[in-house]
Structure formats: C-alpha cells, structure tokens
Amino acid sequence: MKKLPPYLGLFLIILGTLVLISTRFAPFSSSNSILLSGLLLIVTGIVLYIRSIKHESYRP
C-alpha cells in the first residue's frame, strides 16, 4: 500500500465541512445524499488524520 500524504486527513475534513456549508446556501439542501457525503468525508478525514499521527509517533 502506498503511503498517504500526512495532510490528506485535514484536506478531507475541510472538504466535508465545505460540502455541509454549501448545502446551507444551495437550492439542493434537502438532499440527504449530499449531507451524508459531507459526513463521510469528515469521518474519513478524522480517521486518516488520527492514523497519520499514530504512524508518525510510532518509531521502533
């Protein structure tokens, strides 16, 4: 498996937040699939960010 960039988790969190903010002002705000995609981006970003911190701090 390729090594992921350490900033990918933060990028996904910001992207998910922007998706959720855009649903507030866009006409498609009643679509649950867009809200769910924003939530999944944020959760995935948090998991990747925590994983990168753990991997960075673990040096045998």
Side-chain angles (χ1 to χ4, degrees), residues 7-49:
Y7 52 84
L8 182 64
L10 288 176
F11 177 73
L12 288 177
I13 293 170
I14 293 170
L15 185 64
T17 305
L18 291 175
V19 167
L20 292 179
I21 289 172
S22 70
T23 60
R24 178 75 176 143
F25 301 109
F28 51 81
S29 63
S30 64
S31 176
N32 286 336
S33 61
I34 296 174
L35 294 174
L36 185 60
S37 67
L39 175 67
L40 289 176
L41 283 171
I42 292 173
V43 170
T44 305
I46 290 171
V47 168
L48 288 177
Y49 184 71

